[in-house]
Amino acid sequence: MMTEKILRAATAIAVCSFACSAMAQNYPAKPVRVIVPFPPAGAADIVARHASNALSEAFGVQFVVENRSGAGGAIGGEAAARATPDGYTLLMASSSTMSINPHFAAKQSYDPQTSFSPVILVGYATNVVAVHPSVPVRTIRELIALAKSKPGEISFASNGTGTISHLTGELFQQQSGVRMLHVPYKGAAPAVIDVLAGQVTFLFAAYPSIATQERAGKLRALAVTSLKRMQLLPKVPTVAESGLPGFDANQWWACYGPAGMPAAIVTRLNTELNKILRGEELRRKYSVDGVEAGGGTPADLAAYLKTDFDRWGKVVKAAGIKPE
């Protein structure tokens, strides 16, 4: 009897393995939806569209970007988490969606570490501190001095409450001792528009979101928030070397599927995206906007998320921000 049960179990496993292998070989057989939890023209959208176009070429099937913005990325994140885990719905998540927003929500509709199947770290970028040219500051020290002279009056725009641009502002206030007015938006694009219009003093933004305006002189870059200077902005100092030692805040984007996505499909996507991310064409497109191409295994991404999640949780707690 035991032998018969073992044989049946072994047969079932073999059939399942064969079916999963066949599924992966035939994948994708139809268009794949790539949810971007932020509006068009922002950094997440730019990163997603370059990667999706490359995947469309590689597989000969369209990977279609769908923008589902709002709630710091939670709306798009929830839509992806609830999708059928068949590989035909993917999420281009950001550090905001996965590492920060969960610390703000009173009720979180997904768990960043259990509601998704990690695929690969797609890219990362430093944030840039940028002001409208009419603002009378050219350095971080001058910005801090201005903010201290007008407590609560200097405003900074963010991509929304709970996003990394918001938390970077909180970290900036904690380390500099200034008090500023936070103005949240539903994504990078509208935040940039109001800074360009002079409605808000400045913003912390991923360079892809402001690259065109910065090159045209419509925004002035005061500093970058990474520990090292950007290759594209070698003359722009870091916040750390501008008076706030150790200041470090980066943004990243990664591909996920809903939890339970077949391992064979995860592997197929990971393998193809690693090839794409190592290629000169995508690296060139990303570098134009200040994005470094990522890569690695699903396990690498899972470990990276845990570290980042814990780090930003400490910032949220220190800021005393209450869930909404």
Side-chain angles (χ1 to χ4, degrees):
M1 181 66 71
M2 286 299 293
T3 302
E4 185 178 343
K5 287 183 177 180
I6 292 172
L7 285 172
R8 285 179 180 176
T11 300
I13 292 172
V15 170
C16 180
S17 297
F18 178 80
C20 289
S21 178
M23 183 188 299
Q25 288 177 4
N26 294 327
Y27 174 87
K30 61 181 181 180
V32 177
R33 178 174 61 150
V34 181
I35 294 177
V36 174
F38 296 101
D45 185 67
I46 292 170
V47 169
R49 289 183 187 278
H50 284 320
S52 296
N53 290 340
L55 284 169
S56 297
E57 269 190 47
F59 285 118
V61 172
Q62 286 299 306
F63 281 67
V64 183
V65 170
E66 178 182 314
N67 298 93
R68 297 284 295 273
S69 61
I75 291 175
E78 180 181 3
R82 292 185 175 182
T84 302
D86 57 5
Y88 289 96
T89 297
L90 302 176
L91 173 69
M92 184 62 75
S94 71
S95 41
S96 296
T97 321
M98 308 300 277
S99 296
I100 298 177
N101 191 62
H103 297 293
F104 284 81
K107 291 183 179 179
Q108 186 64 31
S109 56
Y110 59 85
D111 184 319
Q113 299 183 68
T114 62
S115 299
F116 303 97
S117 298
V119 177
I120 194 170
L121 177 67
V122 176
Y124 51 92
T126 183
N127 286 303
V128 178
V129 185
V131 301
H132 188 276
S134 64
V135 179
V137 299
R138 291 187 173 275
T139 68
I140 289 296
R141 287 186 175 86
E142 289 177 354
L143 177 62
I144 292 173
L146 180 65
K148 285 185 175 180
S149 70
K150 300 179 179 181
E153 293 183 33
I154 300 302
S155 57
F156 73 95
S158 81
N159 298 2
T161 299
T163 62
I164 194 168
S165 55
H166 173 204
L167 262 291
T168 301
E170 293 295 341
L171 181 62
F172 185 84
Q173 292 182 91
Q174 289 171 20
Q175 292 196 12
S176 65
V178 302
R179 182 164 58 85
M180 303 183 297
L181 174 65
H182 170 224
V183 185
Y185 291 83
K186 290 185 177 180
V192 172
I193 287 172
D194 269 13
V195 175
L196 286 169
Q199 300 296 320
V200 185
T201 310
F202 75 108
L203 81 167
F204 298 91
Y207 190 59
S209 302
I210 64 163
T212 301
Q213 293 81 5
E214 189 275 331
R215 293 185 191 118
K218 295 180 180 179
L219 287 176
R220 179 187 300 139
L222 301 184
V224 296
T225 62
S226 54
L227 291 173
K228 295 181 179 179
R229 294 192 183 195
M230 283 182 61
Q231 290 184 354
L232 288 176
L233 299 172
K235 295 183 179 179
V236 177
T238 66
V239 174
E241 64 184 312
S242 302
L244 298 180
F247 192 96
D248 186 23
N250 291 316
Q251 189 165 358
W252 54 266
W253 302 272
C255 179
Y256 290 84
M261 196 162 73
I265 290 180
V266 172
T267 299
R268 185 154 166 71
L269 283 167
N270 177 270
T271 300
E272 198 58 50
L273 278 166
N274 265 309
K275 290 179 184 176
I276 290 169
L277 292 167
R278 286 195 297 266
E280 287 299 321
E281 184 175 357
L282 190 66
R283 285 179 174 273
R284 177 179 52 78
K285 289 178 179 177
Y286 277 175
S287 67
V288 167
D289 290 314
V291 176
E292 292 283 344
T297 67
D300 292 335
L301 174 56
Y304 186 83
L305 169 60
K306 186 180 186 312
T307 299
D308 204 55
F309 181 88
D310 292 345
R311 180 165 68 94
W312 286 113
K314 292 176 182 177
V315 173
V316 172
K317 184 177 180 180
I321 304 168
K322 302 299 180 183
E324 295 185 337

